[in-house]
Amino acid sequence: MHIVGAGVAGLSCAVRLARAGRQVTVYEAAGHAGGRCRSFHDTTLDSLIDNGNHLLLSGNQAVVSYLEDIGAADSLTGPNQAAFPFLDLESGLRWTVAPNSGRIPWWIFSSDRRVPDSRAWDYLQGLRLASAGEDTTVASVLDTARPLYRRFWQPLAVAVLNTAAEEGAASLLWPVIRETFGRGEAACRPRIARVGLSDSFVDPALRLLEAAGCPVHLNHRLRGIEVGGGRVMALEFTGGRVDLGNDDQVVLSVPPGAAAGLVPGLTAPQGSRAIVNGHFRLARAHDGLSFLGIVGGICQWLFVRGDIASVTVSAADVLADDGAPSIAARMWREIARALDLGDLPVPAHRIVKEKRATFAQTPQEAHRRAGPGTVWTNLTLAGDWTDTGLPATIEGALRSGHKAADLVLIGAANA
Ligand SMILES: Cc1cc2nc3c(=O)[nH]c(=O)nc-3n(C[C@H](O)[C@H](O)[C@H](O)COP(=O)(O)OP(=O)(O)OC[C@H]3O[C@@H](n4cnc5c(N)ncnc54)[C@H](O)[C@@H]3O)c2cc1C
């Protein structure tokens, strides 16, 4: 079994196959595994930081089962109760969204658990997302004039879809609401990696693969695939060529642009959206708050881990064109206000721009997602951009990897 791409989709596929006793070889173009979900040591901050803050929810079932499989189930951290604190920088209002347990969302009838100036009906409008057609945007089914739109629906859509609510696909937002908020408090507890993304999602998987005798070849970029007789015959890597035997299967788990360049005739999403993260060193560890939703500024989510404050801006293509010093100054003003730090100069920081953070999750681009199967009998696709029915998130990427592994195993069983 050959798996190309060691992001979380490729790793989850490799882990499932290795656990099923298959001999797997993983090839990765970069000098590290993890793809868009990884940590690195930043020399400016002299600290381990994630390429981007990743927020997960306790209802992310594939995340839970993958972390259990690789022995990292306890590597996420977060509150014991679902609670989403928010700050509106324009009005100065602070509030906490606190869903209740059970499937019936009575919290929307409780003014101290819901967004200020919202009515229960504003939330029930969200049910329209469930029946929205595939060509419908999030904004087109909601009342954009209501305060709840600006203070809840819009930030939620941008966080989940990395695409503005005005152009984001309603059909991709709904499954997330159904699987988290729709299942009550226990399914929507916020979770972040306790140490870092690599510590949770990457390093334990690499250890498992190594223990199973499955090599992971870094710095191996797939440059071409040779097809013939309805199957993939060979893989051409920067490091050399791999000829495939009759039983060899290939799972291609690379981003959509790379996949389209490798697989003849493949339709894949073409547009992408940026995410900009800023990481700032605080004068001292801040214990009061681990994360905060922010509206009315450029920052959208603030995460605090020890003495590092990190902010995320999704759908950030315009911001990403700005210079890092200017982005840092704007972000820091908002962080200082959110954490009540007063008028401090911008501290040591790192701005990370991921220009192609995810595919643009518009209805048009969603139509371009490919299923896992291909016309070549031994080639399967994985990755957050494939047609998982979910948005491009860790949860979607892991499910795509699991699905690809299951197809390979079923194919092998039927051969
Ligand atoms: C800044 C940022 C913030 C995010 N925030 C969140 C969040 O809060 N919550 C959430 O759930 N998700 C979030 N995501 C999305 C999440 O990170 C991705 O959905 C997920 O990591 C995608 O995994 P993947 O394996 O599908 O793709 P990738 O991680 O892109 O993996 C593909 C791998 O293939 C390799 N590759 C490419 N071409 C080749 C080739 N020719 N040969 C060999 N290897 C190749 C790449 O180097 C890469 O390692 C965020 C993403 C970013 C960038």
Side-chain angles (χ1 to χ4, degrees):
M1 312 275 178
H2 304 270
I3 297 174
V4 182
V8 286
L11 290 175
S12 65
C13 181
V15 164
R16 182 161 282 196
L17 291 172
R19 280 168 52 87
R22 303 305 151 119
Q23 179 56 45
V24 178
T25 305
V26 181
Y27 308 87
E28 163 58 47
H32 52 78
R36 283 169 281 155
C37 171
R38 67 180 191 285
S39 318
F40 61 93
H41 183 83
D42 181 71
T43 46
T44 310
L45 296 170
D46 190 21
S47 179
L48 187 78
I49 59 174
D50 292 335
N51 68 311
N53 307 307
H54 281 58
L55 183 63
L56 303 148
L57 294 173
S58 47
N60 291 151
Q61 295 162 26
V63 169
V64 171
S65 78
Y66 171 74
L67 293 180
E68 276 171 6
D69 285 351
I70 61 175
D74 61 353
S75 71
L76 300 184
T77 179
N80 292 333
Q81 287 283 315
F84 298 83
F86 275 91
L87 163 67
D88 184 345
L89 289 168
E90 276 175 20
S91 64
L93 275 176
R94 288 181 189 259
W95 68 91
T96 298
V97 172
N100 56 275
S101 56
R103 285 175 189 264
I104 299 169
W106 55 260
W107 65 275
I108 65 174
F109 297 99
S110 164
S111 59
D112 57 351
R113 299 182 82 130
R114 67 184 186 207
V115 175
D117 306 321
S118 65
R119 307 167 303 197
W121 168 244
D122 298 329
Y123 299 84
L124 294 173
Q125 263 197 355
L127 293 172
R128 291 185 193 158
L129 292 165
S131 53
E134 286 189 349
D135 294 319
T136 309
T137 62
V138 172
S140 68
V141 296
L142 300 170
D143 184 348
T144 57
R146 294 289 306 155
L148 188 69
Y149 179 73
R150 186 178 151 274
R151 290 180 176 166
F152 183 74
W153 291 121
Q154 205 174 30
L156 182 69
V158 172
V160 170
L161 302 178
N162 186 28
T163 304
E166 290 70 28
E167 59 168 1
S171 62
L172 293 182
L173 180 58
W174 176 250
V176 176
I177 295 176
R178 187 185 62 222
E179 293 187 11
T180 56
F181 284 91
R183 288 169 52 219
E185 181 277 321
C188 46
R189 295 178 190 159
R191 293 285 178 261
I192 58 169
R194 187 191 308 277
V195 175
L197 290 171
S198 293
D199 179 72
S200 291
F201 289 93
V202 184
D203 299 341
L206 295 178
R207 285 195 291 272
L208 183 145
L209 292 172
E210 188 181 4
C214 301
V216 177
H217 297 305
L218 302 177
N219 301 306
H220 273 59
R221 177 175 296 279
L222 183 64
R223 298 166 64 92
I225 60 176
E226 191 179 302
V227 291
R231 56 193 307 280
V232 178
M233 308 286 287
L235 301 172
E236 290 280 358
F237 290 98
T238 37
R241 175 187 166 95
V242 175
D243 289 306
L244 303 186
N246 285 342
D247 295 335
D248 279 339
Q249 296 280 334
V250 179
V251 176
L252 188 62
S253 187
V254 299
L262 288 163
V263 181
L266 178 68
T267 301
Q270 293 169 330
S272 58
R273 293 291 178 270
I275 297 181
V276 176
N277 276 265
H279 307 272
F280 298 79
R281 174 165 310 285
L282 302 174
R284 68 186 68 85
H286 188 95
D287 297 326
L289 181 82
S290 59
F291 85 101
L292 176 74
I294 299 178
V295 296
I298 60 160
C299 299
Q300 293 161 355
W301 297 95
L302 166 64
F303 299 83
V304 184
R305 203 155 49 194
D307 64 352
I308 300 289
S310 304
V311 292
T312 298
V313 186
S314 298
D317 295 75
V318 174
L319 183 69
D321 287 338
D322 202 355
S326 154
I327 295 174
R330 294 168 71 190
M331 285 180 168
W332 178 248
R333 268 197 301 276
E334 296 182 6
I335 294 171
R337 206 165 141 209
L339 298 180
D340 290 325
L341 298 177
D343 194 13
L344 293 174
V346 182
H349 61 272
R350 165 71 65 189
I351 302 297
V352 184
K353 300 177 184 177
E354 290 269 9
K355 293 220 170 177
R356 293 204 185 112
T358 66
F359 78 94
Q361 298 178 71
T362 62
Q364 298 74 20
E365 293 288 11
H367 281 305
R368 298 180 62 84
R369 298 176 97 180
T374 70
V375 293
W376 289 282
T377 51
N378 60 345
L379 178 65
T380 307
L381 302 173
D384 65 351
W385 63 273
T386 57
D387 195 5
T388 59
L390 292 177
T393 55
I394 294 185
E395 176 73 9
L398 293 174
R399 283 198 206 176
S400 79
H402 288 159
K403 175 88 181 173
D406 291 344
L407 288 175
V408 166
L409 291 170
I410 291 167
N414 293 339

